[in-house]
Amino acid sequence: MTNSTLAFVFPGQGSQQIGMLADAAAEFPQISSTFDEASSVLGYDLWNLCQQGTQEEINLTERTQPLLLTASVALYRAWQAKGGAAPAMMAGHSLGEWSALVGSGVLAFEDAVALVRERGRLMQQAVPAGEGAMAAVIGLDDTAVESACEAAAEGDVVAAVNYNSPGQVVIAGSAAAVERAIETCKAAGAKRAMPLPVSAPFHTALMRPAADQLAPQIESTVFHAPEIPVIHNVHAKPESDPQAIKALMVEQIYSPVRWTACVRAMAGSGIEQLVECGPGKVLAGLAKRIDRGLKAHNIETPAQLTEAVEATAE
C-alpha cells in the first residue's frame, strides 16, 4: 500500500554514532540480518564496529559510508516488516542517495555496500588529509555565499556544496581558500561561519578524480529502473533510465547537493509527510526550515518507528 503524500529521506555522513540502532536491533531481526549481509561484503563485523568501536573509527569515510547505508536500509526493512506504508517518493542527502536507490529497487543492497565502500575510499584518497576543508555558513542567502566563495578563491577551489536549507549552506574546497571564505562570509553578515570536522572537501571539483575512478565500477554494476521515484541531488528531479542514474551518481561526487530544491520538489509534487530513515534527525530539522507545511518523522527507535507507521497509514 502506497501513501501518495509520503516520502522517505535518507541521511548522509555525520549521523553516525557509537551504539546507534541498539534498541531497534533488539526488536527487529531485520537490523541484525542487514548488518550481517553488509559484513559479509566488507570482510569485517560492521555491527561490532558501530556498537563497540570508537567514534574516530566510524568517522573514517571508508567506514562511515557503508555503515550509514546499512543502518538506513536496515531501518527501511524494519519499516516494511512492521507493515509501514510504501512512500510515493524518496531522496537521500549525499551518501544517503545510495540508500534511496536501494530502497527504490535500483540496485541490490550488497552491490551498494561494495560501491559505497569504494566511494568512501576514493573520496578520502582524492585530497590528502589537511589539504581540504568544509565549513557551515548560517544566515546568508545562497547568492551571497556563492559570491563570497568567488571572492575568496584566489585561484584555489572553494564553492557552495550543500544547499541544506534557506540560510544554511556548507562550503568546501582547499583548506586555505575555505579559511578565506569563512572570513568573507562573516564580513558579508553571516551569523556564523565555522569549520566542520570532516576529512575531505566533498562535492567539489577536487573530488573529480574519485568520480572518474569510481565510474567503471558503477558502470559494471546492474542498475534497474526505480520502482519508487528518487529525487536526485544533482538536479532535484527524478530519473527513470538506469544509465542516466549511473551518470548522476558519478556526477554527484563532485557536484553540489541541492537539498533545499529536492525537498521543495517533493512538496510541490504533493508530499506532506517525510520519514527520515536512518540514525539522527538532521533531515527532519532541515525539512521544517525548508517547508513549514511538511510533517517529519524519525524512526531510529522502535517507539518512533511504531508511531510513524501509525501516523502515515492511509
Side-chain angles (χ1 to χ4, degrees), residues 13 61 65 94-95 98 114-124 203 210 214 249 252-253:
Q13 286 186 232
T61 297
Q65 296 203 15
S94 186
L95 164 75
W98 287 98
L115 280 168
V116 301
R117 172 179 55 188
E118 193 62 3
R119 181 181 185 268
R121 189 182 72 77
L122 292 168
M123 288 169 80
Q124 188 63 66
H203 300 291
L214 190 64
M249 297 313 288
Q252 190 234 40
I253 294 172

Side-chain angles (χ1 to χ4, degrees), residues 120-129 131 200-201 205-211 213 253:
R121 189 182 72 77
L122 292 168
M123 288 169 80
Q124 188 63 66
Q125 225 176 49
V127 179
E131 289 187 18
L206 298 170
M207 288 290 123
R208 202 176 262 270
Q213 287 172 275
I253 294 172

Side-chain angles (χ1 to χ4, degrees), residues 69-119:
L69 169 80
T70 303
S72 287
V73 171
L75 282 171
Y76 188 61
R77 289 173 172 178
W79 172 272
Q80 291 174 310
K82 188 81 175 165
M89 278 183 187
M90 293 183 166
H93 190 289
S94 186
L95 164 75
E97 192 159 275
W98 287 98
S99 307
L101 292 182
V102 174
S104 70
V106 171
L107 78 165
F109 172 58
E110 57 269 28
D111 288 342
V113 172
L115 280 168
V116 301
R117 172 179 55 188
E118 193 62 3
R119 181 181 185 268

Side-chain angles (χ1 to χ4, degrees), residues 175-228:
V178 169
E179 219 168 287
R180 291 193 295 270
I182 286 173
E183 296 312 314
T184 310
C185 287
K186 285 178 180 170
K191 286 183 195 161
R192 278 186 293 165
M194 58 216 172
L196 294 172
V198 174
S199 50
F202 302 131
H203 300 291
T204 66
L206 298 170
M207 288 290 123
R208 202 176 262 270
D212 291 344
Q213 287 172 275
L214 190 64
Q217 194 172 334
I218 289 177
E219 186 49 48
S220 65
T221 302
V222 176
F223 277 45
H224 304 280
E227 294 157 17
I228 298 167

Side-chain angles (χ1 to χ4, degrees), residues 222-285:
V222 176
F223 277 45
H224 304 280
E227 294 157 17
I228 298 167
V230 174
I231 305 297
H232 290 277
N233 289 179
V234 170
H235 56 24
K237 294 182 226 167
E239 181 53 70
S240 56
D241 176 51
Q243 278 306 119
I245 294 171
K246 287 182 178 185
L248 283 168
M249 297 313 288
V250 174
E251 195 180 335
Q252 190 234 40
I253 294 172
Y254 58 83
S255 301
V257 174
R258 302 192 177 279
W259 190 248
T260 300
C262 288
V263 174
R264 284 180 174 157
M266 291 190 285
S269 301
I271 295 301
E272 295 169 6
Q273 299 192 80
L274 297 181
V275 168
E276 180 167 4
C277 189
K281 48 188 180 184
V282 171
L283 300 183

